[in-house]
Amino acid sequence: MRKWIFGLALATAMTSAAWAQSTEIESTINSQIEAFQADNFTQAFEFASPAIQGIFGTPQNFGRMVTQGFPMVWRPAHVTYLDLREINGALHQKVQITDADGRVHLLDYRMIETDTGWKINGVQLLESADLNA
């Protein structure tokens, strides 16, 4: 009986930790999207990982990349969080974004945890042809 109770307590603690982690990751992504919607590229840049910041150098360069390459993230109509999963030791949050024209896009956010919280370490547009059919 003790083993069962210990196992249940451990599973509950792990589930609570995973839920908290998922909530923090979603909050990071939401905050960046809100900054994009306000055209506050400086604030949006703060949610990018140090590696991404190093690649783009300035919030303005980063903002240009997003507005030109990921307009659905810059001006989403609806955002739905799907599964959070681990791939090769990194956490990836799958996000479904509906743009202003009603097209559905599936994105994969690669996340890293830093001393200042969760940061976005890359976004990949996934194949979503089936979603728009």
Side-chain angles (χ1 to χ4, degrees), residues 22 80-85 92-95 106-108:
S22 177
T80 303
Y81 291 91
L82 304 174
D83 57 326
L84 175 66
R85 64 225 183 282
H92 290 249
Q93 175 66 58
K94 193 177 288 185
V95 180
L106 200 56
L107 295 101
D108 201 29

Side-chain angles (χ1 to χ4, degrees), residues 84-133:
L84 175 66
R85 64 225 183 282
E86 186 178 333
I87 301 173
N88 297 326
L91 289 179
H92 290 249
Q93 175 66 58
K94 193 177 288 185
V95 180
Q96 180 179 303
I97 296 180
T98 304
D99 66 22
D101 294 326
R103 288 186 302 264
V104 177
H105 307 271
L106 200 56
L107 295 101
D108 201 29
Y109 281 75
R110 188 173 58 244
M111 306 298 296
I112 61 166
E113 191 169 21
T114 70
D115 292 342
T116 59
W118 286 97
K119 301 291 181 181
I120 300 165
N121 198 39
V123 178
Q124 178 182 5
L125 186 58
L126 302 174
E127 185 64 41
S128 61
D130 295 339
L131 297 173
N132 293 308

Side-chain angles (χ1 to χ4, degrees), residues 16-57:
S16 296
W19 181 83
Q21 191 174 51
S22 177
T23 300
E24 292 168 9
I25 286 171
E26 288 178 16
S27 177
T28 297
I29 297 168
N30 269 335
S31 295
Q32 187 180 62
I33 289 172
E34 288 171 1
F36 284 138
Q37 289 176 315
D39 289 330
N40 188 339
F41 299 117
T42 299
Q43 185 179 19
F45 196 56
E46 292 175 14
F47 296 103
S49 71
I52 297 298
Q53 290 178 358
I55 290 168
F56 291 99

